[in-house]
């Protein structure tokens, strides 16, 4: 196996394919705290790409309710169990100190889907530990929506101690998912036909429909279960990151890179997508004023989804503040406590960057902040807080201004003449 550096894991790892890093990488940061599960993103994707015969059960973008929901059902618990079986009690992180942007979460001591496959499958029948979901598991994309974890050990009973932060005793949250366009894609490594490729210009992972023969090795290998088999064409399909929009060739985009359909449609304003600069070894090049770089590497509020799987996914999440920390650490790694601490007490810059979400459909390449007047001084969760009405300005690919927005929400007062007009 080729040895590659996985900065999520803080170490080298074996990858059973030749690694290739794009100049810029498609990436996104979803703020779970803001998702309301309206499923507008899900439907925006479905009505654009998967509305044809044979795609009925295919949801490239989906939003599931954690911990019980999943599409396909139980995908993450099954993967975690397979890895635990391969490496009992060994799937742990070192307590060692994080180090800059090449080892921000410490070091993962366990085995990735690639390493576990090499050890447990002799000779390896697949390049990654995985499984093929059953038809039934693909059948109910929104199963267990809004089902909360209640009183431990008591069926159908919510915990009366309920809802006080930092952790709610009765809880669930919405996990919005698309393909992570991973830096070390398991789907790509597993394909015996080499039908899957990663684009050098933006790192988007695509399946060549003419080359695919429907062996479903990618479906089996993707730990996030984001490649899907289509029965009537007998080939596999997956999220294409709305690449005509991202490359600016979509007629609506006027030649300027535009965010995907699911991002653009987000009612909860929890999605931001970008194209981040990479170093030659696949780590993120310093790009201080890029909002994704800031959220992931400077503020460190956004974390990868199941980094321990080893594919170095390019989807990042601001974890939900109310869910149990232990559960969140399993899902997002050891950066959870620091991320939530900062998100709960945002500083001046973080507050400004969070205001960049969904003011435009254009991809933001950098931002600037113009300082404004003090508008609030008081206490927030027992700590002093001061808020300034700063202006945050977003710039696009050609460094043109896309928009500017202020921290203070404008107040609209409905005129009295409309009081009974509904
Ligand atoms: S999420 Fe799955 S389908 Fe998408 S690139 Fe990663 S391994 Fe491939
Ligand atoms: S559109 Fe946004 S808020 Fe609505 S479900 Fe999707 S991610 Fe959540």
């Amino acid at each position: 196996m080729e040895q590659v550096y996985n900065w999520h894991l803080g170490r080298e790892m074996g990858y059973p394919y030749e690694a290739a890093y794009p100049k810029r990488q498609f990436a996104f940061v979803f703020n779970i705290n803001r998702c309301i599960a309206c499923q507008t993103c899900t439907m925006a994707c479905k009505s654009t790409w998967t509305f044809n015969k044979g795609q009925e059960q295919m949801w490239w973008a989906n939003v599931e309710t954690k911990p019980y929901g999943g599409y396909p059902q139980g995908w993450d618990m099954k993967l975690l169990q397979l890895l635990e079986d391969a490496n009992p009690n060994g799937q742990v992180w070192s307590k060692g100190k994080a180090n800059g942007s090449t080892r921000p979460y410490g070091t993962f001591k366990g085995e990735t889907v690639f390493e576990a496959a090499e050890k447990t499958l002799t000779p390896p029948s697949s390049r990654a530990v995985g499984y093929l979901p059953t038809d039934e598991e693909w059948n109910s994309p929104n199963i267990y929506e809004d089902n909360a974890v209640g009183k431990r050990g008591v069926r159908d009973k919510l915990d009366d101690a309920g809802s006080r932060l930092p952790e709610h005793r009765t809880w669930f949250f919405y996990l919005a998912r698309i393909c992570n366009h991973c830096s070390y894609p398991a789907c790509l490594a597993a394909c015996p036909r080499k039908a899957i490729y990663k684009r050098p210009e933006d790192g988007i992972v695509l399946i060549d429909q003419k080359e695919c023969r429907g062996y479903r090795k990618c479906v089996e290998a993707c730990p996030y279960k984001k490649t899907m088999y289509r029965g009537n064409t007998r080939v596999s399909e997956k999220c294409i990151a709305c690449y005509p929009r991202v490359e600016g060739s979509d007629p609506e985009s006027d030649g300027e890179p535009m965010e995907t359909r699911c991002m653009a449609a987000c009612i909860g304003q929890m999605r931001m997508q970008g194209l981040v600069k990479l170093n030659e070894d696949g780590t993120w090049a310093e790009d201080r004023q890029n909002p994704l770089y800031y959220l992931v590497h400077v503020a460190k509020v956004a974390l990868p989804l199941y980094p321990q799987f080893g594919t170095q996914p390019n989807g990042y999440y601001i974890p939900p503040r109310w869910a149990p920390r232990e559960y969140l650490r399993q899902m997002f790694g050891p950066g959870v406590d620091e991320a939530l601490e900062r998100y709960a007490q945002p500083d001046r810059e973080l507050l400004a960057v969070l205001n960049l979400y969904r003011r435009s459909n254009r991809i933001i390449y950098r931002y600037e902040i113009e300082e404004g007047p003090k508008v609030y001084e008081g206490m927030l969760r027992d700590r002093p807080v001061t808020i300034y009405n700063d202006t945050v300005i977003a710039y696009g690919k050609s460094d043109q201004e896309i928009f500017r927005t202020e921290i203070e929400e404008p107040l609209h007062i409905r005129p009295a003449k409309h009081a009974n007009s509904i």
Side-chain angles (χ1 to χ4, degrees):
M1 276 208 283
E2 187 178 349
Q3 287 297 304
V4 295
Y5 189 72
N6 183 323
W7 65 265
H8 289 172
L9 307 183
R11 66 169 172 82
E12 292 209 329
M13 68 163 201
Y15 180 56
Y17 202 80
E18 200 183 325
Y21 308 107
K23 285 212 169 69
R24 284 197 178 259
Q25 172 64 53
F26 173 98
F28 56 87
V29 172
F30 289 174
N31 183 353
I32 294 179
N33 297 274
R34 286 182 178 170
C35 179
I36 52 173
C38 60
Q39 305 283 2
T40 313
C41 50
T42 311
M43 294 315 297
C45 176
K46 185 125 198 87
S47 59
T48 308
W49 301 116
T50 62
F51 55 84
N52 279 310
K53 199 171 171 189
Q55 295 177 308
E56 291 82 359
Q57 306 291 32
M58 197 178 269
W59 302 85
W60 293 352
N62 78 292
V63 180
E64 54 203 47
T65 301
K66 287 298 176 199
Y68 299 126
Y71 171 73
Q73 212 174 326
W75 65 274
D76 49 351
M77 289 305 115
K78 288 195 170 189
L79 244 297
L80 290 169
Q81 191 61 55
L82 285 171
L83 290 171
E84 183 61 29
D85 292 346
N87 184 27
N89 301 318
Q91 297 298 89
V92 293
W93 295 79
S94 78
K95 295 211 167 47
K97 262 223 125 347
N99 178 17
S101 56
T102 54
R103 188 155 48 86
Y105 317 121
T107 306
F108 180 59
K109 298 288 194 193
E111 289 173 4
T112 65
V113 290
F114 309 114
E115 292 163 341
E118 202 182 36
K119 191 178 96 181
T120 54
L121 312 170
T122 7
S125 64
S126 179
R127 288 175 168 167
V129 159
Y131 73 99
L132 264 183
T134 62
D135 288 350
E136 201 179 12
E137 286 167 344
W138 290 111
N139 272 350
S140 311
N142 205 11
I143 195 163
Y144 296 126
E145 183 173 52
D146 290 359
N147 271 37
V149 175
K151 200 163 180 65
R152 279 205 174 177
V154 188
R155 203 180 164 87
D156 299 331
K157 174 97 178 90
L158 299 185
D159 195 311
D160 301 334
S163 56
R164 213 169 297 140
L165 286 172
E167 283 180 23
H168 290 185
R169 302 284 289 277
T170 297
W171 62 276
F172 63 81
F173 64 86
Y174 303 122
L175 186 71
R177 302 203 301 122
I178 61 172
C179 163
N180 295 293
H181 298 278
C182 305
S183 294
Y184 304 116
C187 58
L188 184 155
C191 177
R193 297 262 317 160
K194 298 197 170 165
I196 305 186
Y197 60 104
K198 190 166 174 66
R199 302 204 321 173
E201 62 270 42
D202 50 24
I204 290 173
V205 175
L206 297 176
I207 302 177
D208 184 332
Q209 299 287 286
K210 290 201 195 79
E211 287 299 317
C212 177
R213 291 290 179 275
Y215 300 149
R216 281 178 268 188
K217 284 287 176 190
C218 57
V219 183
E220 186 181 339
C222 169
Y224 302 94
K225 297 296 163 234
K226 278 296 174 190
T227 61
M228 294 151 204
Y229 180 69
R230 182 168 170 180
N232 63 340
T233 58
R234 301 193 177 179
V235 290
S236 298
E237 295 181 5
K238 65 180 284 303
C239 158
I240 59 169
C242 295
Y243 68 81
R245 290 168 68 99
V246 172
E247 64 193 22
S249 59
D250 183 284
E252 271 185 28
S253 67
D254 280 336
E256 283 295 322
M258 206 177 181
E259 291 180 74
T260 65
R261 289 276 288 130
C262 61
M263 312 285 165
C266 178
I267 303 287
Q269 305 193 345
M270 62 79 86
R271 295 174 169 238
M272 193 190 317
Q273 178 234 310
L275 292 163
V276 294
K277 277 193 215 160
L278 295 190
N279 292 317
E280 279 183 2
D281 65 353
T283 55
W284 285 25
E286 189 174 346
D287 191 5
R288 179 64 180 72
Q289 296 308 115
N290 180 298
L292 297 194
Y293 184 88
Y294 172 79
L295 291 166
V296 172
H297 285 299
V298 182
K300 296 192 168 125
V301 290
L303 302 166
L305 178 65
Y306 291 117
Q308 65 270 43
F309 291 169
T311 63
Q312 207 172 278
N314 289 297
Y316 294 83
Y317 292 81
I318 303 179
R321 287 184 49 217
W322 58 90
R325 297 292 166 90
E326 213 178 325
Y327 185 84
L328 295 178
R329 282 185 214 114
Q330 174 180 254
M331 186 171 264
F332 302 110
V336 163
D337 298 274
E338 192 184 341
L340 287 179
E341 172 77 8
R342 291 203 189 185
Y343 182 71
Q345 299 280 350
D347 63 16
R348 196 167 171 174
E349 185 168 6
L350 179 54
L351 209 52
V353 172
L354 290 172
N355 273 276
L356 289 170
Y357 274 78
R358 303 264 49 83
R359 297 294 186 273
S360 163
N361 293 341
R362 304 286 148 181
I363 291 180
I364 303 170
Y365 281 68
R366 72 178 182 92
Y367 67 91
E368 269 176 20
I369 298 170
E370 277 176 10
E371 296 195 345
K374 189 190 324 182
V375 288
Y376 178 78
E377 204 165 10
M379 297 295 286
L380 176 67
R381 297 177 201 101
D382 303 328
R383 288 195 216 164
V385 64
T386 311
I387 296 179
Y388 299 86
N389 191 20
D390 294 339
T391 300
V392 54
I393 310 156
Y395 296 90
K397 187 180 182 188
S398 340
D399 216 32
Q400 81 286 14
E401 181 177 322
I402 311 175
F403 66 86
R404 55 180 60 210
T405 186
E406 293 181 348
I407 302 300
E408 210 171 20
E409 294 267 341
L411 181 67
H412 299 286
I413 297 179
R414 192 173 158 84
K417 66 176 178 177
H418 297 308
N420 286 316
S421 60
I422 301 173

